[in-house]
C-alpha cells in the first residue's frame, strides 16, 4: 500500500496512477488465481475429527458453556460456525458484485480498472460457489442474516455510491481476511476448509488493495459533512456484516441450547478481543482516510471492532 501511495503523492493523482494499480492487479490475477472446482478436495468424505475454524475463533471459546462441551461437540460447533461465516460471505459477495457492476456500468472498457472490476466480480462469483459447496460439505443448512438485515443489504446495494461501497467492501474483506489466515494455517481445521480459506486469502488480497485505492480515490475532494455521513453509513454496514457472521441457528444445529449459547456468546470477552485485534490495521486505514469519526467509532465499538 505504502509504495503506491508514495508514488501517487510524488506524481500527483494522475489517471495513469490508477491504471498502473489496476494493471498490476490484472497481471497478478493472471499469474495466481484458483479454480476451486479443481483445487478443493470435494470428494473425500468429511472427517469429523476436524474443526471448521480455529477453536479460539469460536463464539463460545473461553465461556463456561465451552468448558462443558465434549471435544466432538466443540468440533461440530466450529464446523457450523465456519459454514455460517461462509454463508454470510456469500450474502455479502452478492451485494458486492452488484455494487461493483453498478459502479462500472457503461464506463470505459479499455480502462484497466474496468477490466479489473470484472475480474473481481468473476473471483467473487467463484468464491460464492466455493463457499456454498463448502457449507454443504460441512453438513450445514442455509444460514442467512436476519430478515431485516437482508432487506437493509438490499437497500444498501441499490443506493450506495462509490465511496461508501468500496469502504464497506474493504471492511467486510478485512475482517474475514484475518480469521481465514488463522484457519488456513491451523492443522486442527479440516483440510478442505483450509484450502478454501487459502484460495480466498490469496485472491482477496488483491480485492482489498483495489478497495483501499478506490476508497481513497473517491473520497478525494468530498466535503467534510458528506464524509461524516459516509463514515457513519460504512460503520453501520460493518456492524451488520460482523454481527451477522455467526447465525444464532448454529447452536441448535450443533446440538446446543440456543438461549444459553447466545447469552454466553454475547458476553464473551475473548471473542470480542479476537475481533478487535483483527481489525487494528483496518481501523488505522479508516482513520487515515478520515472515516473514523466520533459517530462511526461508537458504532465500531458496539460491533466490538475497536
Ligand atoms: Fe471473495
Ligand atoms: Fe473480495
Amino acid at each position: 500500500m505504502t509504495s503506491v501511495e508514495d508514488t501517487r503523492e510524488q506524481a500527483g493523482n494522475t489517471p495513469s496512477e490508477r491504471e498502473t494499480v489496476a494493471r498490476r492487479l490484472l497481471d497478478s490475477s493472471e499469474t495466481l488465481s484458483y479454480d476451486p472446482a479443481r483445487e478443493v478436495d470435494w470428494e473425500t468424505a468429511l472427517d469429523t475429527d476436524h474443526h471448521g475454524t480455529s477453536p479460539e475463533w469460536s463464539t463460545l471459546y473461553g465461556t463456561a458453556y465451552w468448558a462443558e462441551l465434549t471435544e466432538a461437540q466443540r468440533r461440530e460447533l466450529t464446523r457450523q460456525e465456519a459454514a455460517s461465516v461462509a454463508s454470510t460471505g456469500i450474502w455479502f459477495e452478492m451485494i458486492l458484485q452488484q455494487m461493483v457492476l453498478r459502479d462500472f456500468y457503461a464506463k470505459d472498457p479499455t480502462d484497466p480498472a474496468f477490466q479489473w472490476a470484472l475480474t473481481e466480480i468473476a473471483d467473487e462469483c467463484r468464491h460464492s460457489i466455493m463457499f456454498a459447496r463448502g457449507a454443504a460439505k460441512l453438513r450445514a443448512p442455509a444460514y442467512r442474516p436476519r430478515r431485516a438485515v437482508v432487506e437493509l443489504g438490499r437497500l444498501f446495494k441499490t443506493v450506495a455510491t462509490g465511496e461508501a461501497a468500496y469502504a464497506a467492501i474493504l471492511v467486510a474483506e478485512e475482517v474475514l481476511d484475518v480469521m481465514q489466515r488463522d484457519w488456513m494455517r491451523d492443522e486442527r481445521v479440516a483440510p478442505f476448509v483450509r484450502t478454501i480459506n487459502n484460495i480466498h486469502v490469496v485472491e482477496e488480497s488483491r480485492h482489498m488493495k483495489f478497495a483501499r485505492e478506490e476508497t481513497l480515490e473517491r473520497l478525494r475532494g468530498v466535503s467534510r459533512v458528506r464524509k461524516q455521513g459516509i463514515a457513519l453509513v460504512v460503520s453501520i454496514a460493518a456492524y451488520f456484516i460482523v454481527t451477522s457472521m455467526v447465525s444464532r441457528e448454529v447452536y441448535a444445529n450443533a446440538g446446543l441450547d440456543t438461549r444459553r449459547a447466545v447469552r454466553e456468546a454475547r458476553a464473551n470477552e475473548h471473542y470480542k478481543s479476537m475481533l478487535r485485534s483483527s481489525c487494528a490495521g483496518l481501523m488505522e486505514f479508516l482513520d487515515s482516510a478520515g472515516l473514523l469519526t466520533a459517530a462511526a467509532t461508537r458504532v465500531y465499538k458496539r460491533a466490538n471492532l475497536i
Side-chain angles (χ1 to χ4, degrees):
M1 183 189 97
T2 344
S3 66
V4 176
E5 268 160 25
D6 290 347
T7 329
R8 183 163 54 193
E9 261 162 41
Q10 287 154 21
N13 181 33
T14 59
S16 65
E17 279 303 327
R18 200 164 158 253
E19 270 179 40
T20 313
V21 174
R23 230 176 230 128
R24 203 180 303 154
L25 292 172
L26 279 168
D27 288 346
S28 158
S29 141
E30 217 165 283
T31 322
L32 190 62
S33 287
Y34 298 98
D35 176 4
R38 291 211 322 244
E39 308 276 349
V40 180
D41 175 10
W42 300 114
E43 303 309 321
T44 314
L46 175 70
D47 179 354
T48 53
D49 280 345
H50 286 117
H51 276 277
T53 71
S54 299
E56 293 76 12
W57 269 108
S58 171
T59 52
L60 287 183
Y61 183 89
T63 62
Y65 204 174
W66 178 267
E68 289 173 26
L69 300 180
T70 64
E71 271 304 319
Q73 284 176 310
R74 291 172 180 174
R75 291 193 299 265
E76 180 58 42
L77 174 62
T78 62
R79 288 197 300 271
Q80 292 299 320
E81 288 178 318
S84 176
V85 171
S87 304
T88 308
I90 295 171
W91 167 70
F92 186 73
E93 286 182 339
M94 295 194 85
I95 292 176
L96 182 165
Q97 290 177 71
Q98 294 180 61
M99 291 196 301
V100 176
L101 200 54
R102 219 161 38 78
D103 184 42
F104 278 86
Y105 173 72
K107 285 192 178 161
D108 175 4
T110 64
D111 176 6
F114 178 97
Q115 292 164 25
W116 165 256
L118 290 187
T119 306
E120 179 164 326
I121 292 169
D123 287 351
E124 299 299 16
C125 192
R126 289 193 310 275
H127 294 169
S128 289
I129 299 168
M130 168 174 85
F131 288 150
R133 290 184 75 175
K137 184 160 171 171
L138 288 167
R139 299 174 195 156
Y143 289 120
R144 269 166 295 201
R146 297 194 319 274
R147 186 61 203 257
V149 178
V150 168
E151 295 309 323
L152 273 175
R154 198 190 303 281
L155 178 71
F156 185 70
K157 75 183 169 56
T158 313
V159 303
T161 51
E163 317 89 91
Y166 288 104
I169 289 171
L170 182 67
V171 169
E173 291 178 339
E174 290 258 0
V175 173
L176 208 56
D177 181 67
V178 179
M179 301 180 175
Q180 291 186 321
R181 274 173 201 272
D182 283 350
W183 307 345
M184 76 185 202
R185 295 190 192 106
D186 195 329
E187 289 186 351
R188 297 166 297 178
V189 172
F192 83 97
V193 176
R194 294 177 62 193
T195 311
I196 288 175
N197 288 320
N198 198 355
I199 291 174
H200 205 244
V201 163
V202 169
E203 297 188 343
E204 288 295 331
S205 71
R206 291 190 289 259
H207 299 184
M208 291 189 288
K209 173 94 186 150
F210 186 66
R212 279 174 188 243
E213 286 299 311
E214 289 300 301
T215 302
L216 293 173
E217 182 75 33
R218 312 286 174 117
L219 286 173
R220 213 172 292 279
V222 164
S223 75
R224 247 180 64 96
V225 176
R226 196 168 145 71
K227 222 179 201 185
Q228 295 267 341
I230 294 166
L232 186 60
V233 167
V234 171
S235 66
I236 293 170
Y239 176 87
F240 286 116
I241 293 162
V242 170
T243 53
S244 299
M245 277 193 311
V246 177
S247 164
R248 56 180 289 138
E249 290 163 36
V250 298
Y251 305 114
N253 290 326
L256 309 187
D257 169 1
T258 301
R259 277 199 172 181
R260 181 177 175 195
V262 168
R263 192 175 62 238
E264 296 200 20
R266 278 203 186 127
N268 188 355
E269 287 305 324
H270 174 266
Y271 184 71
K272 293 178 190 173
S273 79
M274 293 286 277
L275 274 181
R276 275 195 296 270
S277 64
S278 70
C279 287
L282 170 66
M283 291 303 147
E284 217 169 278
F285 172 80
L286 291 176
D287 193 18
S288 72
L291 292 178
L292 211 54
T293 58
T297 304
R298 274 197 295 277
V299 181
Y300 289 123
K301 276 194 182 139
R302 281 203 64 175
N304 302 304
L305 301 184
I306 205 167

